[in-house]
Amino acid sequence: QECKVEYLQKVLVKAIMALPETHFLLCMYQIPEKYHKHEDIAPICDLAQLLEFAKFRQFWADYKANKHAYSLNIVVGFVREVRRFILSVVTITYNCINKSDLAELVDMEVDSAELAAVIKDHGWSEDGPRVVLRRLADNEVAPTESRTQKTLTLDQLTKALGVTESVQGYAYCR
């Protein structure tokens, strides 16, 4: 079964752009295995894996080093969509982050207007060198309740004694 590698590249790049959806994985299942290690497909797979494992710094380093070999710019908006995904991960992971770290994660300059626009668009605020993210249900620490119970109900006590009797009965049957 033969297919054009250029088409596979476009489909996989579009699937990366849809992260965190599982489109990339589904596409890989549909592509014949002999293409998985193809010189033009394998690097795209490697980049997708870096994104899925949240190795964003390594992703940008590999992307910049081999930008043209991967043909990632064949689909308009690739960098924008990768940044969108990274920012969604940052949003659910952090309450605050150093501005320099944020800039590095999204491959922008710390003092750039582009990064300032990202911070403003997300409703975040700057507090010195830190960026304070909006609190969401996903990144808020939930209060924990004590798991110890101070009193036992009659049902709980009966169950506990029933288990104890069966264990004792087992020991006497030996």
Side-chain angles (χ1 to χ4, degrees):
Q1 194 177 29
E2 296 299 316
C3 58
K4 291 191 176 187
V5 174
E6 308 88 54
Y7 295 142
L8 294 178
Q9 286 177 307
K10 285 181 183 179
V11 168
L12 291 175
V13 168
K14 288 291 284 182
I16 288 174
M17 292 170 65
L19 285 171
E21 299 296 328
T22 59
H23 301 333
F24 188 85
L25 184 60
L26 295 172
C27 289
M28 289 304 292
Y29 286 137
Q30 299 297 318
I31 295 173
E33 200 168 328
K34 68 180 180 179
Y35 290 103
H36 289 203
K37 299 293 182 197
H38 190 278
E39 64 184 9
D40 293 328
I41 301 297
I44 295 172
C45 296
D46 294 341
L47 285 177
Q49 187 175 34
L50 289 172
L51 286 173
E52 289 176 347
F53 290 161
K55 295 183 178 183
F56 303 134
R57 291 176 177 96
Q58 184 64 46
F59 168 84
W60 290 115
D62 288 4
Y63 172 76
K64 288 177 181 177
N66 299 296
K67 188 176 187 176
H68 301 291
Y70 296 158
S71 302
L72 294 172
N73 292 321
I74 56 177
V75 179
V76 176
F78 177 75
V79 171
R80 180 187 68 241
E81 291 303 313
V82 167
R83 285 182 176 151
R84 177 200 50 78
F85 169 67
I86 292 170
L87 289 168
S88 72
V89 172
V90 168
T91 300
I92 62 174
T93 305
Y94 296 97
N95 286 327
C96 67
I97 185 171
N98 285 332
K99 189 174 180 181
S100 59
D101 290 337
L102 177 63
E104 191 176 354
L105 291 176
V106 293
D107 192 42
M108 294 180 182
E109 295 296 321
V110 175
D111 296 323
S112 70
E114 193 176 20
L115 184 61
V118 165
I119 292 169
K120 182 182 176 190
D121 292 345
H122 283 82
W124 301 341
S125 61
E126 293 184 53
D127 181 21
R130 299 181 317 154
V131 175
V132 179
L133 285 64
R134 286 182 301 147
R135 298 209 184 267
L136 304 171
D138 292 336
N139 68 358
E140 183 69 32
V141 177
T144 57
E145 294 181 20
S146 175
R147 294 185 181 200
T148 59
Q149 192 173 0
K150 296 185 183 199
T151 59
L152 290 175
T153 65
L154 183 58
D155 287 339
Q156 291 171 327
L157 186 57
T158 306
K159 287 179 184 176
L161 292 175
V163 170
T164 305
E165 289 175 17
S166 65
V167 170
Q168 288 175 347
Y170 177 76
Y172 290 120
C173 293
R174 283 189 179 178

